[in-house]
């Protein structure tokens, strides 16, 4: 007969909005062991599995710590209550917890005070991500009340909430009837119970032992402070929002670039400081999606997107928000894992703002093969390819704008835009290969520029710090022959050095913080910039490294920067941690810029 051998949860801590799918090990009638489900619709040998979820709700009111959400709160910040800051952010588990977090916590008070304008109305956050029920902010009291409305969770049908048992001051409410359950805001602070039992398909009567497992208390999804869009021209853009909360200005569009940290790289060995539940993909994917959707960018360039996650999660989820998706998977000559574990670059764009014209795929491995065929003696080809073939790719898309270009002198002419998205993740010792890849990409973009008068954006994680040869080539159009990075070139692929140039008028978008205006928040952002390189102090922050690796470059002859997503500082990330964290689910931070197309000049 069908029997359950073992039941356990992949994570000890349930989080609001993150699916819980228990691991159920079964023994079939033929004695084989499996983890396959046996639903009522497809019984096995006259038996199937029945699942139920309960919320164990104590009469005692429970609040959880905003800093350590797995801990019960023992004190509350009254300043948060007076300032009408979301109640979940006011709780702390101990005086030391509150004291240690004060430098970061006081920012919430400052922001709450500054968010009240002269009329006493609170301004809307441009990129407020947690502003609706079930999104991570608890909008109701932590009393033990239960909604009387019908419930649905997972694949379960609608049914009324049921009190199944009450004893010793605890009430068990049935909340789900499928194997997977997604905790809601009503579950915060309460323990969940999962039941699994074998049922006779004919009589519908349970047979054998009822397997149960209890979770720890459900915690709210951590909610980082929203990041604002800061104008670089001194004009306050906060008031110009459309019905979706996006910046609405004729002729402007926003571009997001974000390395989301592929799950295959998000290991506990690499990020031991991040709690296991916050490092798990079921949690990270939902947190990343909330963040990405919250930015409401017109164009989204993501790096380190696993191919299975693109197909099964990001493409369908972002499609619901009006985005069309394009993807380029890394080639697999180097990567030895399963095909579905290979990551790549994904570019999304809003269908109501752009249409797809053309797509170019750059495979640096193919370029390496061509290079060795042309330059390397046959007896050295194998070792040369071993050095050059690193599996990296770039995705280039040409889009046509559906919005008018304000001030253009040719309103009837098509407004095209070329967007390159890449991840140059070459080992730091291979400086020649990294520079060669960037140069190869730029030469490809030059060919596109020569065929059409088209603005260009070059986005991605270049694994190159400001001042390095790749960054210098991108930003300056050439590399000084005396640059130390050029000393590493065993294959002579960078020779002659005079060829390390390009004609694209590229400028780093975030350098605008250092170059322009005195607008709202500009001084604060300048403090988060490196004055010697005019780039952010960091876009990647781990225990072992903090620095800038990500950029959004644009052609300055055809585009202007209107505003930029504010940078984070180390204080915002808390001094005792690094990325990824429960609040931020990648080891990189997102970059976002708003651009305006310059009017074309007749020649």
């Amino acid at each position: 007969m069908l029997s359950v051998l073992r039941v356990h949860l992949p994570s000890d801590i349930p989080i609001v909005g993150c699916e819980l799918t228990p691991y159920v090990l079964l023994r079939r009638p033929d004695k084989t062991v499996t983890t396959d489900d046996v639903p009522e619709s497809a019984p096995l040998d006259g038996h199937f599995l029945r699942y139920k979820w309960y919320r164990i709700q104590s009469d005692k009111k429970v609040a959880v710590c905003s800093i350590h959400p797995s801990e019960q709160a023992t004190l509350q910040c009254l300043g948060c209550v007076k300032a009408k800051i979301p109640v979940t952010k006011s709780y702390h588990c101990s005086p030391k917890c509150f004291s240690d977090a004060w430098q970061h916590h006081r920012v919430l008070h400052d922001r709450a005070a500054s968010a009240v304008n002269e009329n006493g109305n609170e301004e809307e956050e441009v990129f407020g991500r947690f502003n609706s029920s079930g999104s991570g902010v608890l909008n109701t009291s932590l009393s033990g009340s239960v909604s009387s409305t019908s419930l649905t969770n997972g694949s379960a049908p609608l049914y009324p909430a049921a009190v199944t048992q009450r004893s010793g001051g605890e009430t068990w409410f049935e909340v789900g009837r499928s194997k997977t359950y997604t905790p809601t805001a009503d579950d915060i602070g309460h323990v969940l119970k999962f039941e699994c039992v074998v049922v006779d398909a004919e009589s519908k009567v349970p047979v054998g032992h009822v397997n149960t497992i209890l979770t720890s208390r459900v915690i709210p999804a951590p909610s980082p402070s929203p990041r604002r869009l800061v104008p670089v021209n001194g004009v306050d853009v906060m008031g110009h929002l459309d019905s979706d909360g996006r910046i609405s200005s004729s002729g402007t569009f926003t571009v997001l670039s974000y390395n989301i940290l592929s799950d295959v790289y998000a290991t506990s060995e690499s990020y031991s400081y991040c709690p296991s539940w916050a490092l798990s993909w079921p949690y990270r994917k939902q947190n990343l999606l909330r963040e990405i959707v919250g930015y409401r960018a017109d164009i989204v360039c993501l790096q380190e997107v696993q191919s299975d996650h693109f197909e099964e999660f990001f493409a369908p989820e972002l499609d619901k928000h009006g985005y069309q998706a394009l993807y380029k998977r890394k080639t697999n000559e180097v990567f030895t894992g399963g095909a579905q574990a290979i990551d790549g670059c994904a570019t999304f764009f809003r269908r109501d703002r752009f249409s797809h014209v053309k797509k170019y795929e750059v495979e640096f491995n193919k370029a390496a093969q061509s290079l060795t065929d042309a330059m390397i003696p046959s007896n050295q080809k194998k070792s040369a390819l071993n050095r050059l073939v690193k599996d990296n790719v770039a995705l280039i898309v040409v889009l046509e704008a559906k919005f008018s270009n304000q001030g253009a002198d040719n309103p009837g002419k098509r407004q095209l835009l070329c967007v390159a998205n890449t991840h140059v993740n070459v080992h730091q010792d291979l400086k020649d290969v990294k520079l060669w890849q960037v140069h190869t990409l730029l030469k490809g973009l030059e060919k596109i520029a020569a065929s059409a008068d088209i603005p260009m954006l070059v986005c991605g994680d270049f694994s190159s710090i400001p001042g390095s040869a790749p960054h210098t080539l991108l930003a300056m159009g050439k590399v000084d022959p005396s640059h130390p990075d050029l000393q590493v070139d065993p294959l002579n692929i960078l020779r002659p050095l005079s060829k390390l140039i390009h004609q694209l008028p590229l400028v780093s978008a975030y350098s605008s913080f250092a170059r322009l205006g005195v607008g709202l928040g500009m001084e604060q952002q300048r403090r988060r910039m490196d004055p010697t390189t005019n780039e952010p102090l960091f876009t990647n922050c781990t225990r072992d490294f903090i620095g800038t690796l990500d950029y959004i470059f644009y052609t300055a002859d055809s585009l202007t920067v209107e505003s930029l997503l504010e940078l984070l500082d180390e204080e915002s990330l808390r001094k005792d941690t690094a990325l990824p964290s429960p609040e931020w689910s990648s080891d990189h931070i997102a970059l976002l810029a708003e651009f305006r197309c310059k009017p074309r000049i007749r020649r």
Side-chain angles (χ1 to χ4, degrees):
M1 190 184 78
L2 184 68
S3 60
V4 178
L5 298 178
R6 185 187 177 198
V7 177
H8 82 270
L9 289 167
S11 174
D12 295 332
I13 300 178
I15 304 112
V16 170
C18 296
E19 290 182 347
L20 280 174
T21 303
Y23 174 90
V24 180
L25 188 65
L26 304 173
R27 177 177 282 125
R28 292 172 173 268
D30 61 3
K31 305 302 181 183
T32 59
V33 176
T34 181
T35 57
D36 294 339
D37 194 14
V38 184
E40 185 175 3
S41 59
L44 183 62
D45 196 27
H47 296 86
F48 66 90
L49 291 179
R50 175 183 292 166
Y51 308 107
K52 287 188 179 181
W53 286 91
Y54 301 91
R55 176 170 64 244
I56 303 177
Q57 198 149 314
S58 172
D59 290 341
K60 180 182 177 182
K61 294 181 180 180
V62 177
V64 295
C65 176
S66 61
I67 306 301
H68 308 98
S70 58
E71 301 294 329
Q72 188 170 329
T74 62
L75 59 89
Q76 184 178 25
C77 173
L78 295 181
C80 288
V81 177
K82 293 178 181 178
K84 297 182 180 180
I85 292 169
V87 66
T88 51
K89 294 182 180 292
S90 68
Y91 294 120
H92 296 268
C93 57
S94 68
K96 184 179 186 301
C97 168
F98 183 61
S99 175
D100 290 347
W102 174 244
Q103 287 300 109
H104 173 71
H105 185 83
R106 67 188 298 180
V107 176
L108 300 179
H109 293 208
D110 296 339
R111 283 199 168 187
S114 63
V116 178
N117 62 24
E118 294 177 359
N119 297 321
N121 298 320
E122 293 184 4
E123 289 186 356
E124 180 180 358
E125 290 275 12
V126 177
F127 298 100
R129 300 190 292 134
F130 301 88
N131 55 4
S132 60
S133 60
S135 63
V137 171
L138 183 62
N139 295 318
T140 57
S141 64
L142 292 171
S143 63
S145 62
V146 175
S147 171
S148 60
T149 57
S150 294
L151 303 177
T152 179
N153 208 297
S155 58
L158 289 171
Y159 61 98
V163 178
T164 60
Q165 184 177 348
R166 184 177 178 83
S167 64
E170 287 187 342
T171 305
W172 293 4
F173 292 93
E174 185 178 325
V175 293
R177 291 183 181 176
S178 62
K179 185 176 182 179
T180 295
Y181 178 71
T182 303
T184 68
D186 287 335
D187 299 321
I188 292 175
H190 303 293
V191 171
L192 300 175
K193 182 172 78 168
F194 171 72
E195 280 188 358
C196 174
V197 65
V198 177
V199 176
D200 183 277
E202 185 175 342
S203 66
K204 305 296 191 270
V205 175
V207 295
H209 176 67
V210 178
N211 297 267
T212 64
I213 188 169
L214 298 178
T215 72
S216 57
R217 295 184 188 277
V218 176
I219 66 173
S223 51
S225 299
R227 296 171 65 187
R228 298 173 183 268
L229 197 65
V230 181
V232 298
N233 54 9
V235 178
D236 186 357
V237 298
M238 301 295 283
H240 304 289
L241 303 177
D242 64 16
S243 59
D244 292 328
R246 290 192 293 128
I247 298 299
S248 179
S249 179
S250 177
T252 69
F253 60 93
T254 52
V255 180
L256 174 75
S257 184
Y258 196 8
N259 181 327
I260 62 170
L261 179 60
S262 171
D263 185 45
V264 73
Y265 306 135
T267 64
S268 56
E269 291 78 18
S270 298
Y271 305 103
S272 59
Y273 48 84
C274 183
S276 58
W277 59 266
L279 203 56
S280 69
W281 182 242
Y283 172 75
R284 289 181 58 238
K285 72 177 182 180
Q286 295 295 341
N287 203 34
L288 287 165
L289 181 65
R290 278 195 296 266
E291 182 182 1
I292 292 165
V293 170
Y295 291 134
R296 301 182 178 95
D298 296 308
I299 301 169
V300 177
C301 295
L302 303 182
Q303 302 88 43
E304 286 197 24
V305 181
Q306 282 184 204
S307 56
D308 54 337
H309 295 163
F310 172 80
E311 294 168 2
E312 298 169 10
F313 183 70
F314 285 110
E317 288 299 323
L318 286 172
D319 176 70
K320 297 174 186 177
H321 293 274
Y323 289 95
Q324 184 171 330
L326 297 167
Y327 184 70
K328 175 55 182 174
R329 193 181 75 172
K330 287 182 359 186
T331 45
N332 57 5
E333 283 84 347
V334 174
F335 195 85
T336 57
Q340 289 301 302
I342 297 175
D343 65 283
C345 297
T347 299
F348 305 83
F349 60 89
R350 287 187 176 274
R351 297 187 195 90
D352 63 340
R353 300 280 282 163
F354 291 95
S355 59
H356 177 222
V357 176
K358 199 162 186 178
K359 171 185 176 183
Y360 300 90
E361 296 181 349
V362 179
E363 295 184 2
F364 294 112
N365 286 0
K366 288 184 177 179
Q369 184 68 58
S370 299
L371 180 68
T372 53
D373 288 345
M375 291 181 54
I376 308 298
S378 56
N379 62 336
Q380 299 177 20
K381 277 184 173 27
K382 185 176 181 180
S383 60
L385 285 173
N386 186 54
R387 184 176 183 86
L388 290 172
V389 171
K390 297 304 171 199
D391 206 22
N392 302 322
V393 297
L395 174 62
I396 303 172
V397 298
V398 176
L399 305 174
E400 181 178 356
K402 294 183 178 181
F403 52 88
S404 62
N405 182 18
Q406 190 179 50
D409 57 355
N410 289 320
K413 191 172 181 180
R414 299 169 73 192
Q415 177 61 68
L416 299 179
L417 179 70
C418 180
V419 183
N421 178 13
T422 191
H423 184 196
V424 184
N425 58 334
V426 177
H427 195 277
Q428 294 301 320
D429 291 340
L430 303 175
K431 298 182 187 298
D432 55 325
V433 180
K434 189 178 299 188
L435 179 57
W436 169 76
Q437 286 191 1
V438 172
H439 183 254
T440 299
L441 172 61
L442 289 169
K443 287 300 170 183
L445 292 174
E446 275 190 323
K447 291 180 181 178
I448 297 174
S451 64
D453 179 16
I454 181 169
M456 289 196 167
L457 294 163
V458 186
C459 307
D461 174 3
F462 292 86
S463 300
S464 302
I465 62 173
S468 64
H471 175 265
T472 301
L473 180 60
L474 283 158
M476 306 302 293
K478 60 182 179 179
V479 183
D480 190 297
S482 63
H483 196 290
D485 285 1
L486 301 183
Q487 305 308 309
V488 180
D489 186 19
L491 299 175
N492 286 323
I493 59 174
L494 305 179
R495 302 298 190 267
L497 297 177
S498 58
K499 76 176 184 180
L500 295 177
I501 59 172
H502 70 87
Q503 302 301 319
L504 301 173
L506 294 178
V507 175
S508 174
Y510 270 79
S511 66
S512 297
F513 272 150
R515 293 184 290 105
L516 299 175
V518 289
L520 177 66
M522 190 66 69
E523 287 304 317
Q524 183 185 52
Q525 297 309 307
R526 282 202 182 99
R527 290 195 294 271
R528 299 172 185 178
M529 302 284 292
D530 185 334
T532 61
T533 65
N534 288 346
E535 295 287 5
L537 289 173
F538 70 90
T539 63
N540 180 242
C541 178
T542 67
R543 281 277 174 84
D544 301 321
F545 174 82
I546 182 166
T548 292
L549 303 175
D550 309 83
Y551 309 92
I552 298 176
F553 287 95
Y554 68 98
T555 46
D557 64 338
S558 54
L559 296 169
T560 58
V561 179
E562 295 286 303
S563 51
L564 296 164
L565 186 64
E566 69 176 340
L567 295 167
L568 298 177
D569 57 21
E570 289 185 70
E571 183 178 312
S572 298
L573 299 175
R574 298 200 185 101
K575 293 180 180 178
D576 61 345
T577 190
L579 299 180
S581 69
E583 291 80 11
W584 307 99
S585 287
S586 175
D587 55 346
H588 292 250
I589 64 170
L591 301 179
L592 183 144
E594 181 191 18
F595 293 98
R596 181 185 298 278
C597 296
K598 286 183 176 180
R600 289 186 176 88
I601 300 175
R602 288 194 178 95
R603 296 174 181 174

